[in-house]
Amino acid sequence: MKTNIRYILLTALRDWLFVGLLFGVVAATLISGAMGEMAMLEADRLKIAYAGASSRLVLVIGLIVFICFHVRNAFDSKEIDVFLSRPISRPNLVLSYWLGFSVVALLLAVPTTVMLYYFGALDTNGFFVWAGSLLLEVLLVVAIALFSAFTLKSAVSSVMASLGFYVVSRMMGFFLATAHSSLLFRDASLNTASRLGMEFLAMVVPRLDFFGKSQWLVYGLAEQVELYRFVSQAAIFIPLLLVATILDFRRKQF
Amino acid sequence: MTTAAAPRKTHLSLGSAPHLYFAFFSLFICQLFFWNASRNVFPDMAIVPDVPARDVVKALSLGDEQFYFRVLALEIQNAGDTYGRFTPLKNYDYDKLSQWFFLLDTLDPQSDYIPSLATYYFAQTQNVPDVRYIVDYLYEHGKRDVTHKWWWLLQAMYLANHKLEDKDLALKVGEPMIDAQGIPLWARQFPAFIYEQKGEREQALYVMEHVLESAGKETLTREEFNFMKYFIEERIEKEIPGLMTKMAPELGEDGFALDKPDAEPHDAQTQETPATNP
């Protein structure tokens, strides 16, 4: 397992992932700083909100692309076969992949949060909550990308599926609110059907809109329950995705 | 030692593939015609962008409404002054602009960004009747949380009174401040001055009396107390000359009226001058 984690770190270094993504985060932060200067007032709030959200997007997209292409490449070049020829079980292999990518994600997310803290954290408590949610969000994104890369046969389709899943997860709160409003259709039965359909979708899609709210960076945490929500969601959904990945991987024939 | 051969370009003469060259030049000429026909067709760059539906904004925020609020707020700040344009404020569609203000308030009702933009920038329009949209917005923004947003109600009063010269609107906007606690006394007194300007002295007196009665004595400074006392007495004196010299309250060392359990000064005034307290 340690060998696989070290191997993933080496490939991340080889592919210039750390340099590339951290450069992207620094560039996004600097651009946010420049945008903030354009604001008539509350420039510090605009800067930190822009920097936080853009850095999060850079990390998420970078990790998804890296993980999906890395795993598909491992399948295509028979690296997975080599791993499996050694005394390592399939669940352990999936876990080692997740751990390796998680280490990579944390090595990217931690410097990002430190940089943003010195860039201009306005509310210390809110910032630490936001930083914690960013760390959990990238771990969840690693699990999403790993799941799609192990289950789908093309790197491009894995990336598209992961990004789609991420966007839908971020919009899940909106979807539920709209379905519950019962204003979508004139027919009450259609409204009920859409609400039930959305409820069903919400069972299998995580609520990523609970994570990484720029509001915490600007005003701090409004309610303690917000913290519990994203921690619980991560604690449940990351293992769920890993188990699903293992189940699918166990069925694969080589 | 062998090396992989790099792909080489082969020479393609006009004679060897005339149909390809013909197709290329024909299409290029078509492109030139298309360019000529479309060179004066520009994208519709409205001064104030169309207002999206509230649900659409919520969906596009992807769960991070604060970030999207900042994106849209900056867009509204720069609206009309992009793509090398500088648009005078009189050309803005203020109806649409005020819809943007209300929409952005749904994303972040705490921020002072939009009311500041409305008050200090968009209210400077050369088309004065448009200021009414700003006043309406500031009123709605401010009355939800007067303790924290009283400043914007005050600005709305100023705009209504001095720009629109509509004192009734100024009074309507200032009304939530009269009873508000935790805001400066001078802000609560503002409606009294508007009544005074309207010539409604009794109403001005009533507002000032109400502010004085509802302000805790321990929060009043001597100067504030003296000013309000002077304001009230002067108006009573104008209504009933000579009354105040008879009813002048006894002052303590701190400059405040002494409390007398058997005879409250305000009660005495109210009973004897019913016309001054509607």
Side-chain angles (χ1 to χ4, degrees), chain B residues 227-245:
Chain B
F227 168 70
M228 285 192 276
K229 180 171 164 286
Y230 171 77
F231 188 95
I232 293 165
E233 285 177 358
E234 192 190 40
R235 270 129 204 92
I236 294 175
E237 188 65 27
K238 280 179 183 166
E239 292 296 318
I240 309 172
L243 178 71
M244 290 317 300
T245 47

Side-chain angles (χ1 to χ4, degrees), chain B residues 28-265:
Chain B
F28 185 68
I29 288 166
C30 289
Q31 165 58 23
L32 290 180
F33 277 113
F34 181 79
W35 162 77
N36 190 45
S38 62
R39 59 192 294 197
N40 291 320
V41 178
F42 301 115
D44 180 23
M45 295 188 293
I47 298 169
V48 181
D50 289 333
V51 189
R54 192 173 154 183
D55 289 347
V56 173
V57 169
K58 296 269 179 191
L60 290 177
S61 69
L62 294 181
D64 192 353
E65 293 184 0
Q66 181 60 215
F67 170 65
Y68 204 48
F69 166 77
R70 300 285 162 187
V71 171
L72 293 178
L74 200 62
E75 189 180 332
I76 290 303
Q77 179 194 303
N78 297 325
D81 296 335
T82 48
Y83 311 112
R85 293 175 299 169
F86 292 98
T87 313
L89 288 172
K90 65 182 167 64
N91 292 349
Y92 282 62
D93 182 344
Y94 270 68
D95 184 18
K96 216 192 255 186
L97 207 54
S98 72
Q99 288 177 43
W100 268 108
F101 296 159
F102 286 115
L103 176 73
L104 290 173
D105 266 8
T106 64
L107 291 180
D108 184 354
Q110 285 184 64
S111 172
D112 289 329
Y113 195 99
I114 298 301
S116 302
L117 210 57
T119 306
Y120 302 129
Y121 179 56
F122 288 114
Q124 310 306 318
T125 177
Q126 300 89 339
N127 189 20
V128 174
D130 278 343
V131 174
R132 189 172 182 106
Y133 289 107
I134 305 291
V135 174
D136 289 343
Y137 162 69
L138 290 175
Y139 175 61
E140 293 297 329
H141 179 84
K143 78 173 183 183
R144 281 198 307 262
D145 181 10
V146 182
T147 308
H148 295 106
K149 298 288 185 179
W150 59 272
W151 180 254
W152 305 116
L153 289 174
L154 211 62
Q155 297 299 320
M157 276 187 85
Y158 165 78
L159 292 171
N161 192 30
H162 294 285
K163 290 229 171 188
L164 295 173
E165 296 180 350
D166 185 343
K167 296 202 188 307
D168 290 328
L169 180 62
L171 284 170
K172 177 195 155 194
V173 166
E175 205 179 323
M177 287 194 295
I178 297 174
D179 286 317
Q181 295 296 322
I183 74 172
L185 271 180
W186 58 265
R188 296 181 60 195
Q189 293 164 357
F190 249 69
F193 305 136
I194 305 286
Y195 276 121
E196 184 77 11
Q197 286 175 8
K198 275 186 80 181
E200 296 182 18
R201 288 170 179 276
E202 295 86 356
Q203 286 288 353
L205 174 64
Y206 169 70
V207 170
M208 197 60 86
E209 264 191 339
H210 179 75
V211 172
L212 181 60
E213 279 168 8
S214 59
K217 188 178 169 183
E218 43 300 331
T219 64
L220 275 178
T221 64
R222 180 186 297 182
E223 292 75 15
E224 282 169 340
F225 176 79
N226 284 342
F227 168 70
M228 285 192 276
K229 180 171 164 286
Y230 171 77
F231 188 95
I232 293 165
E233 285 177 358
E234 192 190 40
R235 270 129 204 92
I236 294 175
E237 188 65 27
K238 280 179 183 166
E239 292 296 318
I240 309 172
L243 178 71
M244 290 317 300
T245 47
K246 278 193 281 180
M247 300 299 297
E250 195 179 332
L251 297 181
E253 286 180 4
D254 59 353
F256 290 106
L258 291 173
D259 288 331
K260 289 182 181 176
D262 52 343
E264 287 290 326

Side-chain angles (χ1 to χ4, degrees), chain A residues 168 171-182 184 190-207 233 237:
Chain A
V168 170
M171 295 174 79
M172 209 55 226
F174 162 75
F175 287 146
L176 282 172
T178 311
H180 275 269
S181 71
S182 300
L184 278 178
L190 282 176
N191 278 324
T192 308
S194 75
R195 185 174 56 78
L196 291 175
M198 209 49 75
E199 293 285 2
F200 175 74
L201 191 64
M203 287 180 199
V204 291
V205 174
R207 289 288 299 272
Q233 180 66 99
F237 215 81

Side-chain angles (χ1 to χ4, degrees), chain A residues 122-134:
Chain A
L122 299 173
D123 182 289
T124 311
N125 287 338
F127 177 82
F128 282 115
V129 171
W130 181 88
S133 87
L134 178 73

